Amino acid sequence: MEGNENSSMDLLDLKEFDEEALKKESEELLEMRMLNEENAVFSRTPGGFIALKTKEKEYARVGVYLTFPLTNPEEFISIREADEKAKEIGMVEKLSSLPKDQQEMLREQIKLRYFMPVITKVLDIKDEYGYAYWNVATTFGACRFTTQISGNAVIQLSDSRLLVTDIDGNRYEIPDLYRLGVMERKKLDLFI
């Protein structure tokens, strides 16, 4: 009988411990920690990644994520641990609040994560079997890609700005639809 009581007590103790750990983790997740030049130093690793040193801890590698990638890429930048959980370490409210060299390091990482060529010319778009086959010129050269006709392959961000996402998840931007020629815009009628 005593053995059963002890094992019941052990389970209760374990449950309480887990609840406390969960409560602590929840509180940490809810706490917004702002990172700036007074409490954080970003540096480049030998492999070209970004490391972070705070007063509390050093991170050998961190991930840089934009909270508002299309509308506000210079503010509210989430800095996260570089593992599969990507737990947030803190937030850089304004990129300009950091020293110039650290701003450039973070911008470089952002460009790599959010690589988005600008479509400068629409050469052709063919519609076949529910897919659109694009042939375009971009700021990075000629490009061919495929999008689905249905769904959100082309999203209108403003009256003239479009975001195109191909079937592999790559993104392309048309910053001003009206800078394209009349025939190019006509090819886009399928999506607008």
Side-chain angles (χ1 to χ4, degrees):
M1 188 114 170
E2 272 182 43
N4 287 342
E5 285 179 24
N6 284 339
S7 61
S8 296
M9 292 298 280
D10 290 342
L11 287 174
L12 284 174
D13 289 341
L14 181 61
K15 185 178 179 186
E16 286 177 27
F17 175 77
D18 289 342
E19 285 179 25
E20 285 300 313
L22 184 60
K23 183 178 176 182
K24 183 180 178 189
E25 187 175 334
S26 297
E27 287 172 1
E28 287 175 2
L29 288 172
L30 292 173
E31 180 183 325
M32 178 68 75
R33 181 174 181 203
M34 301 311 279
L35 300 172
N36 53 47
E37 73 176 314
E38 291 154 15
N39 63 7
V41 176
F42 294 94
S43 60
R44 192 179 313 278
T45 69
F49 298 107
I50 300 294
L52 170 64
K53 182 178 182 180
T54 66
K55 292 177 182 176
E56 298 82 27
K57 190 172 177 181
E58 287 189 40
Y59 300 88
R61 182 176 171 193
V62 295
V64 181
Y65 297 83
L66 296 177
T67 308
F68 305 104
L70 298 173
T71 57
N72 206 354
E74 292 281 315
E75 294 182 9
F76 300 106
I77 296 143
S78 176
I79 306 300
R80 303 180 191 173
E81 292 180 4
D83 60 13
E84 64 277 351
K85 290 182 183 178
K87 181 180 171 188
E88 187 170 75
I89 299 164
M91 181 86 62
V92 175
E93 185 175 0
K94 291 182 185 246
L95 207 50
S96 60
S97 70
L98 298 173
K100 292 276 186 208
D101 62 328
Q102 293 180 44
Q103 287 179 39
E104 289 310 311
M105 278 187 263
L106 294 181
R107 280 190 188 102
E108 191 178 286
Q109 292 298 308
I110 290 166
K111 282 181 185 175
L112 288 171
R113 181 172 302 281
Y114 296 94
F115 178 71
M116 187 166 42
V118 172
I119 295 174
T120 57
K121 189 164 188 62
V122 177
L123 303 170
D124 193 27
I125 303 176
K126 290 184 181 175
D127 168 19
E128 292 180 8
Y129 307 109
Y131 291 94
Y133 299 90
W134 298 64
N135 182 9
V136 299
T138 73
T139 49
F140 291 91
C143 184
R144 292 176 185 264
F145 60 88
T146 305
T147 63
Q148 291 186 332
I149 297 289
S150 61
N152 294 333
V154 179
I155 299 172
Q156 203 156 0
L157 300 173
S158 71
D159 290 341
S160 62
R161 186 177 178 202
L162 301 176
L163 175 69
V164 181
T165 306
D166 72 14
I167 58 173
D168 295 320
N170 300 310
R171 296 176 300 254
Y172 304 85
E173 180 185 10
I174 300 175
D176 187 352
L177 180 63
Y178 301 106
R179 288 183 130 181
L180 299 175
V182 174
M183 294 307 290
E184 293 174 281
R185 289 197 308 266
K186 194 153 188 71
K187 292 171 187 169
L188 290 167
D189 280 347
L190 184 63
F191 300 101
I192 301 173

